[in-house]
Amino acid sequence: MARPLRIEYPGAYYHVTSRGNERKAIFRTDKDRVRFLELLGRAVEQFHLRVHAYALMQNHYHLLVETPRAGLNRALRYLNGVYTQAFNRRHQRVGHLFQGRYKAILVDRDSYLLELSRYIHLNPWRIRKSEDPFTYRWSSLGAYTGRTPIPPWLTVREVLGYFGSKDMKGYRGFVLDGIKNGIKTPWDEVQGQAMIGPQEFVEEMAERHLRGKEDTKGEVTGIRDIVGIRPEEVLREVKKYFRIEEGEIRKRGQRYTEPRYLTSYLLRQYCLMSLREIGERVGLHYSAVGNAVRRVRENPTRAMARSRKELETKIKH
């Protein structure tokens, strides 16, 4: 499977994660965490970033980053590279610290900024329910609730602005509500391995930043080449999973079938295909494709949900 390219432009928002190589610890001591945050502050200044939230876990970190002048790749290369050098010196080791490239998902600010900040701040609690996220030292939640000073490189006003005059008190209640009622995992909303947002946002970003872009060899590529998963890979996994031939997906006498529904959803979610393009593949009118995608995403049967999860695992890996 091709590696998805980055979408970078001034004013973009990203959910950034980076994991330790072989899932090993990237933070062994508090000195490591302090050093990482110092370097993050330098990256903010040097590359003109805005960090809206962060959480440092033992073997990975989360950042909610805005790039007013673009340049995310340069900033993350600096952060991970310099931190690796410092970590290796301190712990007398050599070699890679992080597992390949960082993951950066482009985020629709209007729909997901607030929700993603809560997701990041609740990571300590999600991983270990006994952990109190409000007293966890290595996230920005303390700065959001007034428990700790706000670092000069951390931007909190945009998220707190959703709560008006209540700001910190309102945000604390928002986080508590997530603990009480649960939160959605944003990775379930990722489309094309690259974006989180309403369909209009995804299509606009794909059209504006991906279509007709040149690859590393100077060849013009289509959207599917860039997002990394080709329709043929999706169809191959569906056929193998259900033990059917491709023609059976298109059978007109069997309009509402699980393979057809799941194929429609997966092509939309991971290949960024239009409803018309999907309809040509599965033998449905584009409006019926839209209904199929919504059904799988919002109201699947138990069997359909299980099949979706298993197929997504196969496609992603």
Side-chain angles (χ1 to χ4, degrees):
M1 184 173 68
R3 183 171 65 181
L5 300 185
R6 304 293 184 206
I7 303 172
E8 293 196 11
Y9 62 92
Y13 289 75
Y14 301 92
H15 180 192
V16 176
T17 58
S18 195
R19 292 188 174 276
N21 198 25
E22 298 178 339
R23 296 185 177 273
K24 293 179 180 177
I26 59 173
F27 305 111
R28 293 184 184 176
T29 67
D30 286 352
K31 288 184 178 180
D32 293 333
R33 297 176 178 88
V34 169
R35 180 58 174 158
F36 181 87
L37 294 178
E38 289 173 352
L39 291 171
L40 181 57
R42 288 189 192 177
V44 166
E45 181 178 359
Q46 185 172 336
F47 298 96
H48 308 285
L49 306 179
R50 289 182 187 147
V51 174
H52 295 273
Y54 71 85
L56 311 186
M57 312 309 295
Q58 185 176 35
N59 67 353
H60 68 285
Y61 66 76
H62 292 262
L63 303 175
L64 181 49
V65 178
E66 179 189 356
T67 56
R69 301 188 187 180
L72 180 73
N73 188 47
R74 291 184 296 115
L76 268 293
R77 277 206 328 250
Y78 165 83
L79 178 62
N80 283 2
V82 176
Y83 177 72
T84 295
Q85 294 171 12
F87 184 92
N88 284 353
R89 282 196 302 269
R90 178 174 292 116
H91 299 291
Q92 299 182 334
R93 67 181 297 277
V94 295
H96 297 292
L97 178 62
F98 292 97
Q99 179 180 297
R101 297 205 323 176
Y102 62 90
K103 181 180 288 187
I105 304 298
L106 183 65
V107 176
D108 177 45
R109 174 202 175 280
D110 294 336
S111 302
Y112 285 91
L113 180 67
L114 182 60
E115 189 63 45
L116 267 177
S117 73
R118 178 168 69 175
Y119 172 82
I120 289 172
H121 287 146
L122 284 180
N123 249 263
W125 171 80
R126 288 179 61 253
I127 291 174
R128 190 169 58 190
K129 289 296 191 286
S130 61
E131 185 75 64
D132 182 354
F134 293 100
T135 59
Y136 186 72
R137 290 179 59 193
W138 306 108
S139 85
S140 49
L141 183 55
Y144 268 87
T145 57
R147 186 174 179 273
T148 60
I150 301 172
W153 47 264
L154 180 68
T155 300
V156 301
R157 62 185 180 275
E158 193 163 345
V159 171
L160 290 180
Y162 283 92
F163 301 93
S165 59
K166 295 180 179 179
D167 53 32
M168 291 184 174
K169 183 178 179 181
Y171 189 78
R172 179 182 176 85
F174 177 66
V175 173
L176 285 170
D177 183 69
I179 294 174
K180 180 180 178 181
N181 297 314
I183 57 174
K184 293 177 65 176
T185 301
W187 302 114
D188 293 339
E189 306 293 324
V190 176
Q191 297 197 47
Q193 302 187 96
M195 292 175 266
I196 301 178
Q199 200 59 46
E200 297 79 12
F201 170 79
V202 172
E203 291 177 353
E204 179 187 352
M205 292 299 104
E207 186 66 34
R208 184 187 300 176
H209 299 288
L210 297 183
R211 195 179 298 279
K213 185 174 181 178
E214 291 186 352
D215 65 14
T216 55
K217 297 180 181 178
E219 298 176 354
V220 175
T221 63
I223 289 175
R224 261 78 72 194
D225 297 311
I226 291 169
V227 299
I229 298 179
R230 300 176 184 274
E232 292 72 22
E233 295 172 354
V234 171
L235 289 166
R236 183 175 64 247
E237 292 298 338
V238 171
K239 289 187 295 182
K240 189 189 304 182
Y241 183 84
F242 288 103
R243 298 179 182 178
I244 59 176
E245 296 299 321
E246 186 170 343
E248 294 182 60
I249 297 175
R250 297 176 52 87
K251 279 186 179 179
R252 296 192 178 277
Q254 302 175 7
R255 187 176 182 187
Y256 301 108
T257 65
E258 190 171 316
R260 179 174 266 166
Y261 268 52
L262 285 164
T263 300
S264 299
Y265 166 81
L266 293 168
L267 291 175
R268 185 68 162 169
Q269 186 79 1
Y270 293 99
C271 303
L272 297 182
M273 294 176 68
S274 70
L275 298 181
R276 292 185 184 278
E277 290 174 316
I278 296 170
E280 293 172 0
R281 292 270 186 167
V282 302
L284 287 176
H285 187 270
Y286 71 88
S287 61
V289 172
N291 291 335
V293 172
R294 280 191 295 275
R295 173 67 189 280
V296 176
R297 180 182 291 148
E298 300 171 8
N299 191 31
T301 64
R302 184 175 299 179
M304 192 183 292
R306 182 177 63 251
S307 298
R308 181 185 70 183
K309 182 177 181 180
E310 292 173 355
L311 278 166
E312 285 182 320
T313 299
K314 293 176 182 296
I315 289 168
K316 289 177 182 178
H317 296 92

